[in-house]
Amino acid sequence: MVQPARKLNGSRLVRFAWLPLCLVLAACHVDMYDQPRYQPNQVSTFFRDGRAMRPPVENTVAIGSFDPDSALLTGKVNGELASELPVELTAELLEHGRTRYDAYCAPCHGIAGDGNGVIAYRGPLQVPSLHQDRLRTVAIGYFFEVITNGVNRMYSYANRIPPEDRWAVAAYVRALQLSQYADVNDLSAEERQQLGVK
Amino acid sequence: MSHHGHELAEGAAAESVAAGYELADVRARPLWISIAVIFALLAFAYVVITVLVFAVGEPLRDPTYAVDVTSPQVPVGPLVEANPNVDGRRIVNEATEHLESYGWVSQRQGIVHIPIERSMELLLEQGVNPFGQ
Amino acid sequence: MSAQIFPRNANAIVWVSILGLVLLVGGIVAALVGLYLSPWFTDVGVPKAQPVPFSHKHHVDQLMIDCRYCHATVERAAHAGFPSTDTCMSCHSQVWTNSPLLQPVRDSYRTGDPVVWRRIYDLPDFVYFNHSVHVAKGIGCASCHGRIDQQQLTAKAQPLFMGWCLGCHRNPEDNVRPRDEVFNMRFDPLTLPLEERVKLVESYQIPTDGRLTNCYTCHR
């Protein structure tokens, strides 16, 4: 056999087409998967307390999150508990308040507000009923105040329920109270008939 | 693989035959057939398993369901609560039922409890202080 | 005339070795795929050791606490919100106050140092995921997190492969549920007839024009 002249022609080059595949090996690392940035709740070795999420400096508030004159944010008007909602009372507000109440309050206060939630039962914890004269006639800002700052053994829920939602809960609590203490004269004729009133 | 075998037109050398060397070329057909058979068997096994799974009617279980949901295993007594789910469901169901029904609280004072939906309607009419200040 | 140099069993050796090679390569590929899909690699169903052996089964199923009680920002933010020590203590200052299992929580509450939990679901950093939009569009917790209310110890329910994400982004009607049922772990969207689910997709304005499968939807 006669050896052909060693020339770098096209077909010879094709034999080395696999070489770029070696570049694939260079992609075997995870720094796109774990990029050098922090995720929420990640552990940090940079900060002394080990938290990547930085808690705000004590006694600071974010811009727009506090206004001492705003009833919406403080629950108070001129230092007194607000007796009216600082937001409009609508069916949507009550419905929204219902979802908040069922998620955050019902474990202890009970779905019906009688203080017999599943947690209260299992604790067992003494949880006051929402259906008492004092709470029926208290200014509605009181519920806002309690959710914001807690009361007795109840912790503050301010970091879980934003101010607008707290008012929704307060309004829903009033609906709950009304549902357990309604005047029969406010009901329609059919409803009264159903209850057996002449 | 046949092109690797040496097709010798003149046949095997006499000394090869005498030494007992292989004379015939490797046959590729049985090789391909057995590979095909293996893959066919794999496919067949897959079909059979699928059919069986469907026939039994119970899908392969998600490994996250470590607990049998329908019949919780209860350890031997004494128990604080035999089935903790029951009380929770009972409390929630009772409260929900109560919150969806009409009934007397005090017939003498004319006080009733009404469904929460109705109460929300009433509250929209009466404002957030239905009991006064 | 050339001499034969192969022994008589050469054909058999070739035969067996080629067959073996095919099986070996096939076996290696199958084993790699199997490993890739197995809990050994994906961590599906494998609980991690945590400072406190928290049970979702107990808190969600038995005590019927809503998901949002602890994961409070799930409707408002990309991150579902991990409960702070304060959240744990809002009950455990009253119940199980002397349990040694809860010592790390009490220590954290006293000193202000966080309890260091180990992350269960870790999406790659090149994937954008937002809890709030999924919740708002009627995708239930259970659709991704499985029946977490039945898990004594928390483990991944999904390997989070991209194909799985795309499956739902292509056919959202397979997983959509009414908004009221998002946090109901017992609800199965497939109990609704297909027409109703399609209607939900429409009324929740889930895009079906292919926008959901755009690369940019998740890789932004």
Side-chain angles (χ1 to χ4, degrees):
Chain A
M1 277 262 282
V2 182
Q3 197 75 11
R6 282 201 162 271
K7 232 172 72 186
L8 209 60
N9 56 22
S11 65
R12 199 175 283 277
L13 264 178
V14 169
R15 293 184 196 170
F16 297 100
W18 58 271
L19 267 176
L21 279 178
C22 293
L23 288 174
V24 170
L25 291 175
C28 290
H29 53 112
V30 292
D31 57 358
M32 282 295 280
Y33 202 101
D34 290 315
Q35 293 166 17
R37 62 174 163 83
Y38 284 129
Q39 293 173 325
N41 296 106
Q42 200 169 341
V43 172
S44 164
T45 50
F46 180 77
F47 296 104
R48 198 169 294 160
D49 62 358
R51 265 184 267 235
M53 286 166 99
R54 305 310 302 151
V57 177
E58 259 180 62
N59 299 322
T60 56
V61 287
I63 290 176
S65 72
F66 184 71
D67 174 3
D69 297 329
S70 157
L72 178 76
L73 298 174
T74 63
K76 289 182 179 150
V77 179
N78 301 327
E80 296 281 315
L81 290 174
S83 58
E84 290 296 331
L85 281 181
V87 288
E88 204 193 337
L89 178 63
T90 60
E92 291 77 47
L93 184 84
L94 288 174
E95 203 49 65
H96 185 63
R98 185 178 192 176
T99 65
R100 302 300 100 176
Y101 179 91
D102 287 350
Y104 296 105
C105 315
C108 287
H109 288 285
I111 286 183
D114 49 10
N116 186 24
V118 181
I119 300 295
Y121 172 80
R122 285 294 299 271
L125 303 175
Q126 290 295 319
V127 181
S129 169
L130 296 171
H131 308 300
Q132 44 179 303
D133 283 336
R134 181 179 71 87
L135 292 178
R136 278 192 207 105
T137 52
V138 78
I140 193 156
Y142 177 74
F143 300 113
F144 182 93
E145 165 77 17
V146 167
I147 300 170
T148 310
N149 297 322
V151 65
N152 298 334
R153 293 186 296 174
M154 176 179 154
Y155 274 36
S156 160
Y157 281 71
N159 59 357
R160 276 178 272 172
I161 313 179
E164 294 79 4
D165 288 4
R166 282 174 231 161
W167 286 113
V169 173
Y172 178 71
V173 167
R174 272 282 140 84
L176 262 185
Q177 291 174 332
L178 186 60
S179 81
Q180 301 307 305
Y181 205 76
D183 192 333
V184 72
N185 298 319
D186 291 340
L187 300 182
S188 67
E190 303 101 79
E191 286 172 316
R192 277 205 290 269
Q193 205 170 20
Q194 200 180 333
L195 284 159
V197 184
K198 266 90 208 162
Chain B
M1 299 298 142
S2 62
H3 58 273
H4 285 300
H6 295 271
E7 297 283 337
L8 297 175
E10 62 271 34
E15 68 260 37
S16 298
V17 180
Y21 285 124
E22 177 63 58
L23 299 177
D25 207 350
V26 66
R27 282 180 305 145
R29 244 173 82 91
L31 189 66
W32 293 122
I33 290 172
S34 17
I35 290 174
V37 165
I38 286 170
F39 279 101
L41 278 177
L42 277 176
F44 179 69
Y46 180 80
V47 170
V48 167
I49 291 169
T50 315
V51 167
L52 280 179
V53 166
F54 271 100
V56 173
E58 197 171 332
L60 295 176
R61 298 198 64 179
D62 189 333
T64 51
Y65 291 74
V67 188
D68 186 2
V69 182
T70 47
S71 58
Q73 288 191 330
V74 180
V76 290
L79 297 166
V80 181
E81 269 177 304
N83 190 351
N85 293 37
V86 172
D87 286 324
R89 307 251 174 276
R90 177 178 56 77
I91 288 168
V92 168
N93 289 344
E94 279 176 8
T96 310
E97 219 165 273
H98 187 68
L99 217 48
E100 285 168 358
S101 62
Y102 287 94
W104 285 104
V105 174
S106 163
Q107 198 151 7
R108 198 158 49 85
Q109 295 171 344
I111 305 294
V112 289
H113 71 82
I114 58 176
I116 183 70
E117 301 288 342
R118 180 77 180 102
S119 162
M120 279 152 73
E121 278 172 30
L122 272 184
L123 195 79
L124 288 176
E125 289 168 22
Q126 302 181 359
V128 289
N129 295 311
F131 306 106
Q133 282 289 322
Chain C
M1 190 178 255
S2 51
Q4 286 282 8
I5 54 165
F6 293 108
R8 197 165 266 285
N9 58 0
N11 282 354
I13 291 173
V14 167
W15 214 89
V16 169
S17 48
I18 289 177
L19 203 62
L21 199 70
V22 169
L23 287 180
L24 188 71
V25 171
I28 288 174
V29 169
L32 285 177
V33 171
L35 271 183
Y36 183 66
L37 297 175
S38 75
W40 183 81
F41 180 77
T42 61
D43 281 344
V44 168
V46 182
K48 289 184 185 175
Q50 303 284 8
V52 179
F54 179 86
S55 165
H56 277 95
K57 165 95 179 162
H58 177 62
H59 289 85
V60 182
D61 193 44
Q62 296 174 359
L63 300 181
M64 304 177 80
I65 297 174
D66 194 281
C67 307
R68 290 165 286 183
Y69 190 88
C70 302
H71 304 289
T73 59
V74 72
E75 290 171 301
R76 289 178 276 141
H79 189 56
F82 201 83
S84 63
T85 302
D86 189 78
T87 302
C88 305
M89 290 299 280
S90 56
C91 292
H92 287 294
S93 60
Q94 321 283 330
V95 290
W96 294 110
T97 48
N98 294 315
S99 166
L101 291 178
L102 291 170
Q103 193 58 44
V105 178
R106 289 193 295 271
D107 288 348
S108 161
Y109 194 70
R110 201 180 60 246
T111 61
D113 293 333
V115 179
V116 183
W117 300 88
R118 293 174 68 197
R119 187 179 288 274
I120 302 291
Y121 286 88
D122 190 11
L123 271 180
D125 285 358
F126 48 78
V127 178
Y128 174 83
F129 179 81
N130 190 320
H131 274 95
S132 65
V133 72
H134 287 87
V135 169
K137 300 284 181 184
I139 302 300
C141 309
S143 290
C144 301
H145 295 286
R147 286 300 296 275
I148 199 165
D149 64 324
Q150 298 299 331
Q151 287 186 346
Q152 301 281 11
L153 294 174
T154 313
K156 266 165 100 172
Q158 284 294 339
L160 307 179
F161 290 134
M162 178 172 147
W164 170 78
C165 300
L166 281 174
C168 187
H169 275 210
R170 289 201 183 103
N171 302 312
E173 66 276 7
D174 288 348
N175 287 290
V176 76
R177 59 176 80 194
R179 285 196 181 113
D180 305 345
E181 305 287 355
V182 164
F183 299 97
N184 180 357
M185 304 303 292
R186 290 161 183 274
F187 185 83
D188 179 5
L190 295 181
T191 53
L192 288 178
L194 181 64
E195 310 87 70
E196 266 180 56
R197 282 181 273 132
V198 170
K199 250 179 241 161
L200 283 178
V201 168
E202 207 170 300
S203 71
Y204 294 164
Q205 297 177 341
I206 301 176
T208 48
D209 55 1
R211 259 185 293 161
L212 280 185
T213 50
N214 212 323
C215 307
Y216 184 69
T217 304
C218 308
H219 303 291
R220 45 173 95 177

